[in-house]
Amino acid sequence: QSHTDECIRFLQEQRRNDRFFLNVWFNAPHAPVEAHIPYISDAIQAKPLTQDPKSVQFSAEYISVIQAMDAGIGQILHLLETRRLHTNTLVIFTSDNGPEEGLGIARPFRGRKRSLFEGGTAVPMIFRLPGVVGPAGSKPDFFMSSVDIFPTILAACGIDFPQPHANDPWPSQFDQVGRNYRDLRLFDAVNHWS
């Protein structure tokens, strides 16, 4: 709830024509799963989504954290609407990776968190900007990546994408820290928790 409360406070300070950037990282659902008390009693009484014994049945604690996150996002979107900020505010919802082992399923994909299969990398991505993105409920038939978010935001704001230095695709901050960036390991797929 503290994430939501801080977002609400920030949004209440914004005026209709102010430009602002708000980045919200809910830490749920994430291990360790801790029950959110306002939602746990409903979650305990929730009916299974399916009777299929092969399907993952989510714990009441897991359901409660999903409900808490959903309620928080709902409060933020509702405030944008009541403050009449929703018509010129781009909202992006996405995840960083697929589900953790034992906490979720990535069907129909293979793999999960820390996997390079689609189950670890293909996640929901929702863009909301009434009258610009849509129509509501539309499902584009193309893939995006989180690296597409920055140029998409620039385009939505009418800002040209900055050009890289001549003959060098890396940003200048790598040069400024005195590191030989051509020798950097850019991805480490080692499972540090095993």
Side-chain angles (χ1 to χ4, degrees):
Q1 185 63 39
S2 62
H3 285 85
T4 303
D5 292 342
E6 189 62 25
C7 292
I8 298 290
R9 183 199 59 72
F10 174 81
L11 290 172
Q12 287 172 334
E13 295 172 357
Q14 305 309 308
R15 295 187 308 256
R16 174 100 173 99
N17 294 320
D18 284 351
R19 292 183 179 187
F20 64 88
F21 177 80
L22 176 62
N23 189 9
V24 185
W25 294 92
F26 285 92
N27 62 343
H30 203 280
V33 175
E34 297 178 12
H36 284 251
I37 301 305
Y39 303 97
I40 192 68
S41 61
D42 288 341
I44 290 171
Q45 297 174 24
K47 301 276 189 259
L49 298 175
T50 177
Q51 299 302 321
D52 181 358
K54 295 179 182 176
S55 71
V56 174
Q57 299 298 323
F58 300 109
S59 69
E61 292 81 8
Y62 187 79
I63 293 170
S64 75
V65 299
I66 298 290
Q67 289 174 325
M69 183 178 70
D70 185 59
I73 293 167
Q75 289 175 4
I76 293 167
L77 294 176
H78 179 72
L79 182 61
L80 287 172
E81 291 175 12
T82 58
R83 305 260 351 266
R84 297 174 44 149
L85 297 169
H86 69 291
T87 58
N88 64 349
T89 300
L90 174 62
V91 176
I92 303 170
F93 175 88
T94 192
S95 179
D96 56 349
N97 49 251
E100 180 74 69
E101 182 74 37
L103 291 183
I105 51 176
R107 285 189 190 125
F109 303 122
R110 177 171 63 160
R112 55 186 61 251
K113 183 176 183 176
R114 289 184 290 280
S115 166
L116 296 180
F117 292 117
E118 284 184 303
T121 60
V123 295
M125 184 177 284
I126 301 168
F127 285 75
R128 179 179 186 245
L129 183 56
V132 178
V133 176
S138 62
K139 296 179 182 177
D141 60 352
F142 58 86
F143 283 94
M144 282 187 72
S145 171
S146 57
V147 300
D148 297 316
I149 292 174
F150 179 63
T152 301
I153 291 171
L154 291 179
C157 296
I159 300 171
D160 291 331
F161 192 81
Q163 297 300 311
H165 293 101
N167 303 320
D168 189 356
W170 293 94
S172 62
Q173 54 267 33
F174 281 100
D175 293 328
Q176 293 172 2
V177 295
R179 296 164 77 184
N180 183 354
Y181 57 83
R182 297 191 198 297
D183 294 332
L184 288 177
R185 289 180 64 188
L186 299 178
F187 180 75
D188 185 353
V190 175
N191 181 350
H192 299 284
W193 294 274
S194 59

